[in-house]
Amino acid sequence: MDNDHSKFLQKTILDENLAYVAVRELATDPSRILVIDCTRERKEMSAGLLLATAWHLSQKIKTATDKKRIGLVFPPGMGTYIANLAVVLCGKIPVNLNFTIGRAPAEASIEIADIDIIISADPIRERLKDFPWLPNFMDLPGELATLPKEDITAFYKNLFNESGSSTADSLGLSKTGGDKEVALLFTSGSSGNPKGVALTHRNLLSNCAQIDEIGILPDNEILLGNLPTFHSFGFTVALWFPIITGLKTITTPSPIDTKLNSDVIRQESVSIILGTPTFFKPYLTRVDPEAMKTVKFVISGAEKTPKGLPDEWFKSFGSEYLEGYGLTETSPVTSINLHKAVTKYPKNLLHKKGSTGRILPGMTAKIVDPDTGKERALTEVGILHLQGPNIFHGYLNDSENTKKMLKDNWLITGDLARFDDDGFLYIEGRLSRFSKIGGEMVPHGTLEEAIVDELDLDENGGRKIVIVGRPDKVKGEALVIVTAIAIDLLEIQRALRNKGYPNLWLPREVLKTEAIPILATGKLDLKALKALVVDV
């Protein structure tokens, strides 16, 4: 499938340098308020002041280490905007480290990234005592306090006297970035150790341009940015996209603080929210619809949306629930359903229930048989393969995993998917969330939905059951219900038979656990789940 591939690839921004583009766009309208941080007390920062501050900080960072990558540890907020921009402006590579995954994976990430300095804040370091802080530490608030205020003011005032391009030129920034690394993110680690995804200037700029092209995030809206910056969704869509396009963004430090987020939505007239189903579900039971009256739509990704959630969301709040799809390796946005106000496309090509929308401009897709490796019709279910300028070139210092993901210039997503005749993408589930039993592919998600249905479970407060496959000498795999509630296995088996599911599909064991393992991104912690069922 080719979505206007060649025309999009002709866009000049794809070959530009992220630092140059950021300066040019921030300096074009320096007085506009770009970021409002609502962490404790409300603080706002204009585009020009962000640029002036980040530029002067960048000169300190440049001399702080000889390494090309800089570690960053921040929740969403003004600090992460300033620090990420400053690192890029001094020609170094930001590495936003996941501080929720535990000490060992964090240490592995630091080693892979080859960093010897971390920029954060003393209160964060004090709070995250088990994080593997490096001896070389830069306290951002302390460094900002030492910056010469008169120089920052002079820099800011001068932005009004010249064009954005002239400002970028005067700072000596390169105009071209292309396939040079500009950021390092780590995969969520949901199915194994984190892998370093090296994203290029072309990757990030193309994904921002793709999002801009479809008109889903116009600059007259107000975005709530509360996704962690170590997550690619938060990094690209809630940090770099606003910097490049001028979309006003309101930040709060966590997507799970539903009370703070709903208060901020009301106070700041937020119109767009990013998140995952796990983060959106609590709104349904904890938030007054009056607080959500300015919200036009929410964009959900990172995990499959449970059946019925979009309808329930619309019924509660009157705003659209739009599902999208992406991977860290695609920078991350790949496809998305569009809001009804988008006028670029016919109404029947905006969104479809159950789909993740149509793939972005400049991308190409194909469907491949998981067993034979042969290409299938796009409307058949198989492994989704993708091409596009937003797709990474490989994992950092990991040729083995890179070869598994990239073949003949195609990204092998590992997701089972299909397209309909209008080009809408339907994700059936990750291959890792299927079990091969007696030669049949059994989807875990389908069984989970059936069990949730049968037990009439309310999962708004979090997942209660998950299907996990474990090795079985006879059938290849056996299915285990990992559950946070009491479940009668025989009753579940009987109910699934009555629904028409074959015996091969029936779970064979139940494992009771205190809580279903979930990552900070809202995804299932598949690695932890596999470890739970090893000895069942």
Side-chain angles (χ1 to χ4, degrees):
M1 173 168 288
D2 189 323
N3 195 5
D4 206 10
H5 189 74
S6 57
K7 184 179 177 182
F8 183 84
L9 294 182
Q10 294 171 12
K11 285 183 171 290
T12 56
I13 193 172
L14 272 60
D15 296 317
E16 292 187 301
N17 183 291
L18 181 63
Y20 189 95
V21 173
V23 170
R24 182 181 67 205
E25 300 307 319
L26 289 170
T28 296
D29 186 5
S31 63
R32 74 179 184 277
I33 300 301
L34 184 68
V35 187
I36 299 176
D37 186 330
C38 294
T39 300
R40 289 188 179 85
E41 57 187 48
R42 185 182 188 275
K43 298 177 183 176
E44 58 181 46
M45 181 170 272
S46 68
L49 188 56
L50 171 63
L51 174 55
T53 305
W55 173 255
H56 284 82
L57 178 65
S58 74
Q59 304 311 294
K60 285 196 167 190
I61 295 173
K62 187 185 293 186
T63 59
T65 177
D66 292 330
K67 300 283 188 180
K68 64 179 181 178
R69 298 186 189 90
I70 306 286
L72 302 175
V73 176
F74 290 98
M78 203 169 287
T80 199
Y81 274 79
I82 295 170
N84 275 275
L85 180 58
V87 171
V88 169
L89 288 178
C90 72
K92 293 186 183 289
I93 298 163
V95 185
N96 287 270
L97 295 164
N98 187 338
F99 47 83
T100 69
I101 55 175
R103 187 177 187 90
E107 286 176 337
S109 299
I110 289 170
E111 184 176 350
I112 291 168
D114 187 28
I115 57 179
D116 66 358
I117 184 172
I118 291 176
I119 304 175
S120 185
D122 284 336
I124 297 174
R125 182 169 56 169
E126 183 62 27
R127 190 167 70 249
L128 303 175
K129 292 184 182 298
D130 195 44
F131 187 81
W133 299 102
L134 297 176
N136 195 2
F137 177 85
M138 184 179 284
D139 171 51
L140 180 64
E143 294 295 335
L144 293 179
T146 66
L147 295 180
K149 289 184 173 55
E150 62 278 6
D151 291 352
I152 291 175
T153 301
F155 185 106
Y156 174 74
K157 288 180 177 178
N158 192 55
L159 296 176
F160 294 88
N161 300 324
E162 56 185 22
S163 69
S165 295
S166 297
T167 299
D169 289 335
S170 69
L171 297 179
L173 299 171
S174 172
K175 290 185 178 181
T176 57
D179 292 331
K180 293 177 183 175
E181 182 186 349
V182 74
L184 182 71
L185 292 171
F186 285 88
T187 58
S188 62
S190 61
S191 55
N193 290 324
K195 297 184 286 290
V197 178
L199 297 178
T200 68
H201 293 263
R202 185 176 175 86
N203 291 154
L204 277 179
L205 288 172
S206 64
N207 206 221
C208 289
Q210 288 166 323
I211 297 166
D212 197 36
E213 175 95 354
I214 60 175
I216 185 72
L217 297 175
D219 62 10
N220 60 342
E221 302 294 349
I222 300 175
L223 179 72
L224 179 65
N226 59 16
L227 295 180
T229 315
F230 57 72
H231 187 285
S232 56
F233 199 11
F235 182 73
T236 299
V237 185
L239 191 154
W240 289 108
F241 185 84
I243 285 175
I244 290 170
T245 65
L247 175 66
K248 183 189 287 187
T249 303
I250 317 297
T251 68
T252 60
S254 172
I256 63 174
D257 190 342
T258 310
K259 172 69 167 62
L260 173 61
N261 287 320
S262 60
D263 288 345
V264 168
I265 289 166
R266 185 201 301 260
Q267 292 159 7
E268 303 294 340
S269 300
V270 167
S271 56
I272 303 170
I273 313 174
L274 307 176
T276 72
T278 297
F279 299 149
F280 284 134
K281 285 176 187 176
Y283 282 76
L284 296 171
T285 53
R286 301 178 191 171
V287 176
D288 182 350
E290 185 66 18
M292 305 287 284
K293 65 182 182 181
T294 60
V295 177
K296 296 179 181 178
F297 60 93
V298 301
I299 299 174
S300 179
E303 55 174 320
K304 189 174 178 62
T305 292
K307 188 170 61 177
L309 180 56
D311 291 335
E312 199 173 348
W313 182 274
F314 183 80
K315 183 179 177 183
S316 296
F317 302 122
S319 55
E320 286 188 290
Y321 181 107
L322 303 175
E323 190 172 2
Y325 167 74
L327 302 163
T328 308
E329 293 86 349
T330 61
S331 304
V333 186
T334 294
S335 67
I336 190 167
N337 281 289
L338 299 178
H339 178 48
K340 61 187 177 184
V342 174
T343 58
K344 185 178 176 66
Y345 306 98
K347 286 195 179 298
N348 65 317
L349 296 182
L350 294 179
H351 51 78
K352 285 191 181 181
K353 188 179 291 187
S355 82
T356 62
R358 299 193 304 154
I359 61 173
L360 297 180
M363 297 197 73
T364 305
K366 67 179 180 179
I367 299 294
V368 173
D369 187 298
D371 294 319
T372 67
K374 293 182 178 179
E375 191 169 345
R376 286 181 168 178
L378 288 168
T379 52
E380 294 183 52
V381 174
I383 300 293
L384 176 66
H385 287 48
L386 296 167
Q387 283 184 342
N390 54 313
I391 291 172
F392 85 138
H393 295 298
Y395 299 112
L396 184 65
N397 302 326
D398 191 347
S399 58
E400 184 179 340
N401 277 309
T402 297
K403 286 176 183 175
K404 292 177 184 176
M405 285 291 285
L406 295 171
K407 186 176 181 181
D408 299 327
N409 294 320
W410 286 94
L411 173 69
I412 305 167
T413 66
D415 287 314
L416 289 167
R418 64 178 174 85
F419 290 88
D420 69 11
D421 291 333
D422 290 322
F424 283 82
L425 176 62
Y426 294 79
I427 303 295
E428 304 296 339
R430 284 202 67 75
L431 192 59
S432 59
R433 297 231 61 224
F434 281 70
S435 289
K436 198 158 191 177
I437 303 175
E440 283 192 37
M441 296 293 288
V442 181
H444 298 175
T446 301
L447 289 175
E448 288 163 1
E449 285 183 8
I451 294 170
V452 166
D453 236 12
E454 175 64 26
L455 299 178
D456 195 25
L457 295 179
D458 178 4
E459 293 196 302
N460 288 335
R463 296 186 71 141
K464 305 294 191 301
I465 62 106
V466 174
I467 298 290
V468 184
R470 67 158 179 80
D472 180 85
K473 291 179 181 178
V474 179
K475 297 292 186 181
E477 281 192 85
L479 298 178
V480 181
I481 304 176
V482 179
T483 173
I485 60 173
I487 278 182
D488 186 314
L489 178 62
L490 292 178
E491 281 187 16
I492 291 298
Q493 290 176 332
R494 191 179 304 115
L496 291 174
R497 282 194 194 97
N498 290 340
K499 289 175 182 286
Y501 292 105
N503 282 333
L504 278 177
W505 286 43
L506 301 185
R508 300 301 173 188
E509 292 110 359
V510 169
L511 175 65
K512 182 75 165 57
T513 185
E514 189 173 326
I516 302 298
I518 299 289
L519 297 170
T521 56
K523 292 182 180 180
L524 287 172
D525 189 338
L526 299 181
K527 185 180 178 183
L529 284 165
K530 287 284 186 185
L532 282 176
V533 304
V534 164
D535 299 321
V536 173

